[in-house]
Amino acid sequence: MTVHFPFQNSYSALPDSFFARVAPTPVAAPRLIKLNRPLAVQLGLDPDVLETREGAEILAGKTVPAGADPIAMAYAGHQFGQFVPQLGDGRAVLLGEVIDKDGIRRDIQLKGSGPTPFSRRGDGRAALGPVLREYIVSEAMFALGIPTTRSLAAVVTGEHVIRETALPGAVLTRVASSHIRVGTFQFFAVRRDTDAIRRLADHVVARHYPELSGAERPYHALLGGVVARQADLVARWLLVGFIHGVMNTDNSSISGETIDYGPCAFMDAYNPAQVFSSIDEMGRYAYANQPRIALWNLTRLAECLLPLFSDDQEKAVAEAQDILGAFSETFSDAYQAGLRKKIGLFTERDGDDALIQDLLDAMAKNQADFTLTFRRLGDAAGDPAADDARAQFMDPAAFDEWARRWHERTALEPQSAAERQAAMHAVNPIFIPRNHRIEAVIQAAVNDDNYAPFEELVKVLAKPLEDQPDYAAYADPPLPEQRVLQTFCGT
Ligand code: AMP
Ligand code: MG
């Protein structure tokens, strides 16, 4: 049996300035530790063949499969607000693209596959811990219905990477609808290469926004499309308590998927100012700052597109501002509608926003667990005697007062208690990838070569909305001594 990837590459057919041709660097002793079989099938790949030795060698970058055209993509980016004119794939190689079962073009990328011309000082490698973290969180996001890159496989390389200590090396096979970032446009904008910007924009419209290709002003429409998808994406993040952690423009996807899981985390107790990333000292990427930062990143994208808008700079700027102006409303509409659903409202009334804000304020003040408060509120909607929502509050009286108003409000709607509970349980997950669980999984893998905890966590998170009584403990917040206060980039 040979591994067959039905590659149909389009990015590597773009001009040479878009990438560097570079093969993955072979590794010593690849071992497949996880294959995402359903995703393999979705991509038209044979999971049984991928699980053979030959499959593992491909997923580790030891062998390049037929039809691949491996490249490292060029991009620039603002990192924590500072512009870097050249970043690029420094530890990743795009093998190629396949058309999946739904007709969607998907990139297949090896992350941690060795140095590229964009590596600068790094070794081009990834450590096992961050690879497992990305696998777990990206697949959990997918199960939550949030646009995201996916994880097809994780392989250990049989080599060590040197970070603060020597750690087992690993390669993640990442699948994305593309790896084109805001920073990809910035790479050409800083070089004043308007032809390349136009080529890239045309590629993006055809690939990600085909519905806009006939638009009268396709580049304006493209900016509007990215604004809409990013506004929706960030609203979805907030609604599940997700903190990306490093929303640099090079980690901001043009397709509107969540990309580059580094020091990301889901919060336990609700705290709008929550930051986990060890390198985010100023809280630039704190939970509640994410919408503002998304708009900041989109403004950087708009700047790149100005030459395509009009030769008249002033006119182009005014048009871009107009398009960016839609962000706030698109975001708040999605966010408020999501919150109304989270508290079980079927209709919209004056006073709803205040009711929701008062709950969030009380949660913040009382260190209520974000995930469990909403899930248990669903229980309370079905059965007024259920009091686990109130138990999330340090001062349960703060909840009682709010719950009285909530019951009054829900009583204005005709839906039954059971209907309301079902609607709430369909949007409020019980299982999220909690930090302390991820850490425990990584410790078992790195220290004991034990992947059973990883498998179990991935399995539970695949059904985040379903009560899974055998795994009830996975819903629990950390005990004080289990709390993870910081996360690290450290791939
Ligand atoms: P990230 O933190 O994943 O967004 O990466 C930021 C930039 O640093 C990208 O250009 C990466 O390719 C590069 N980079 C990160 N880690 C490494 C590494 N181990 N070796 C080479 N380049 C790296
Ligand atoms: Mg990145």
Side-chain angles (χ1 to χ4, degrees), residues 75 79 87-91 111 118-126 163 246 248 250-251 260 489 491:
Y75 54 86
Q79 299 188 307
L87 289 162
D89 290 332
R91 51 158 162 188
K111 187 169 174 186
F118 301 111
S119 295
R120 297 182 300 166
R121 287 178 297 279
D123 58 4
R125 293 297 183 191
R163 296 294 179 259
V246 56
N248 294 334
D250 52 303
N251 295 335
D260 276 8
C489 277
T491 341

Side-chain angles (χ1 to χ4, degrees), residues 23 47 61 116 119 202 230 379 405 430 439:
T116 78
S119 295
D202 290 342
Q230 284 284 335
D379 297 342
R405 289 165 57 202
I430 178 158
E439 281 307 316

